[in-house]
Amino acid sequence: MAGARVETLMARTRMLSHRARTGLRKSAVDYFRGDASDWLAFGGLLLTVPAIAFGTLMMPVWFSSSALVLPIVAGGLLLRPASLLALYAASAVALIVEALVLGPYTEGPARVTPGTVLVVAACGFFGLVIAQFRSRVGVPWRRGGTMLFDLRERIRVQSKLPSLPAGWHREMALRPAGGQSFSGDFVVAARTNGGRTLEVVLTDVSGKGMEAGSRALLLSGAFGGLLGALPPHGFLPAANGYLLRQDWEEGFATSIHLVLDLETGDYELLSAGHLPALQLSAGTGRWREVSGEGPLLGVYDGTEFTPARGNLRRGDVLMLFTDGLVETADRDISEGIDRLTGEADRYVAAGWDGATWHLIEKVAKDVNDDRALLLIRRSP
């Protein structure tokens, strides 16, 4: 009986030990992933407060009382508001102890002065504001930057153009407003009909930069799912219905949808309030505007979109772009289009590799608006 009891006790001990190790390992993993409580960071920062206070009392020349701002600033980045307030309370107690032990601040430079208290309090205030903002967002600081990076990369991946068969050249350049990472302009593209057809949608969401970046991300995902899943003439009506259902205060967008037959060069352009495309005829060397008819997305329900049709012959070039490329406060759209075509003529003889990036740099130097340019060329 005694042996059985010992074995049972040992089994329970091993089980409890295993649960403790598993829980500790899970807590550590969750913490570094940003999914768990902040007890580990709170404990570490809480221990630094008496350590700093002890150093200030023993070696005031090397340890200043204002060094307490270090755990406070770190706590603003790591801790939740409730834990942060407890850390502030410990820091306040440390300041009081230092002031009592070191004596009045008028007796030496290493004492706790009113300025020290103000600096620590100011850092604590801003740390609490940051912690409350993170708490409202629900994203720990360790994951916030990673999430923004992932969102930016998703937009870039969705904006990549598919590879085209021999005889076709395509490239795209996109510059967000103010040099930011998020743009209100985006592209979704896919090869449909067994790879014979190229469908490209260039969209300009109302607003610019970070203001429109979140909506552009949402729309790019929705438009990417619609593209290829619907007949070409059904895409813009479905996109328009999607925007109307969002019920955004500033929820409109312009969009242009290219449907290109990669075997014959025939294409259709369907437009939702977007600027016309530009086609260069290799035979005449002249540019012409090509545009379908249709209202803005997200404004009217039950709208119709009338396509414009054309053909890309050998050597022809087709450009799609957003208004940030050709419109500024001191220049209207027609003047901007003339300037764009004038600069583009320089690449007829030199070749079109890298043309989109250089055209944006030459034509749209105003960095206060999102700019996007898409170029498709059929080789001669």
Side-chain angles (χ1 to χ4, degrees):
M1 291 292 294
R5 291 179 180 177
V6 171
E7 291 181 0
T8 303
L9 181 60
M10 292 179 61
R12 290 180 178 177
T13 303
R14 287 194 298 269
M15 183 179 297
L16 292 175
S17 176
H18 174 72
R19 289 179 179 177
R21 291 196 306 270
T22 302
L24 181 62
R25 183 167 59 250
K26 183 179 183 300
S27 298
V29 172
D30 287 344
Y31 174 78
F32 285 105
R33 289 177 55 195
D35 299 331
S37 63
D38 56 358
W39 62 267
L40 185 60
F42 174 68
L45 292 174
L46 194 61
L47 291 176
T48 62
V49 173
I52 292 175
F54 180 78
T56 303
L57 297 176
M58 296 295 100
M59 294 179 291
V61 176
W62 292 97
F63 289 87
S64 171
S65 56
S66 60
L68 287 171
V69 302
L70 298 177
I72 287 177
V73 171
L77 297 174
L78 291 169
L79 304 181
R80 293 175 171 84
S83 302
L84 194 59
L85 291 176
L87 181 66
Y88 290 173
S91 300
V93 171
L95 280 176
I96 294 173
V97 171
E98 291 175 357
L100 293 175
V101 174
L102 295 176
Y105 66 88
T106 56
E107 297 181 2
R111 307 299 193 264
V112 179
T113 66
T116 301
V117 177
L118 289 177
V119 170
V120 174
C123 292
F125 172 75
F126 288 112
L128 185 61
V129 170
I130 295 174
Q132 288 179 337
F133 175 76
R134 289 189 291 103
S135 179
R136 288 180 59 188
V137 174
V139 179
W141 76 276
R142 300 178 300 280
R143 294 291 295 172
T146 303
M147 286 183 63
L148 290 176
F149 176 79
D150 290 342
L151 293 176
R152 185 189 67 181
E153 292 305 307
R154 286 178 182 274
I155 293 177
R156 289 184 176 180
V157 169
Q158 290 176 348
S159 297
K160 285 185 177 180
L161 300 177
S163 59
L164 301 184
W168 292 94
H169 171 76
R170 89 284 185 267
E171 61 179 74
M172 183 196 69
L174 192 151
R175 293 291 182 274
Q180 301 177 14
S181 298
F182 296 91
S183 172
D185 299 344
F186 66 90
V187 171
V188 292
R191 289 181 62 177
T192 59
N193 194 20
R196 172 173 175 168
T197 303
L198 172 67
E199 293 192 49
V200 181
V201 178
L202 174 60
T203 302
D204 183 359
V205 179
S206 56
K208 62 185 69 174
M210 290 292 292
E211 299 175 1
S214 58
R215 283 176 290 162
L217 177 64
L218 178 63
L219 293 182
S220 64
F223 286 12
L226 293 174
L227 192 66
L230 296 172
H233 287 216
F235 174 82
L236 287 181
N240 182 58
Y242 180 81
L243 258 73
L244 288 172
R245 290 193 297 273
Q246 305 311 305
D247 196 24
W248 289 329
E249 293 183 0
E250 190 182 0
F252 66 89
T254 68
S255 190
I256 188 168
H257 181 195
L258 170 66
V259 184
L260 173 63
D261 191 320
L262 296 174
E263 293 186 3
T264 65
D266 294 332
Y267 68 84
E268 285 187 343
L269 272 176
L270 299 102
S271 177
H274 201 83
L275 295 176
L278 295 174
Q279 180 179 351
L280 172 66
S281 174
T284 63
R286 296 180 179 178
W287 293 90
R288 73 181 184 94
E289 297 183 1
V290 185
S291 178
E293 296 182 1
L296 298 170
L297 296 178
V299 178
Y300 304 108
D301 193 9
T303 56
E304 295 183 357
F305 302 90
T306 304
R309 294 177 174 84
N311 180 269
L312 285 179
R313 299 179 178 84
R314 298 288 181 178
D316 285 5
V317 176
L318 186 68
M319 290 195 301
L320 312 179
F321 49 91
T322 57
D323 59 359
L325 189 66
V326 296
E327 184 181 21
T328 61
D330 56 350
R331 185 181 67 190
D332 59 21
I333 293 178
S334 60
E335 183 182 350
I337 290 177
D338 291 339
R339 184 175 179 183
L340 174 61
T341 54
E343 289 291 337
D345 286 336
R346 301 174 182 267
Y347 295 92
V348 174
W352 295 90
D353 290 339
T356 54
W357 187 87
H358 291 287
L359 284 173
I360 288 181
E361 295 298 317
K362 289 288 186 180
V363 176
K365 295 183 179 180
D366 182 11
V367 298
N368 294 320
D369 200 356
D370 300 320
R371 298 147 292 161
L373 175 61
L374 169 67
L375 183 147
I376 297 176
R377 177 176 181 253
R378 192 173 187 184
S379 302

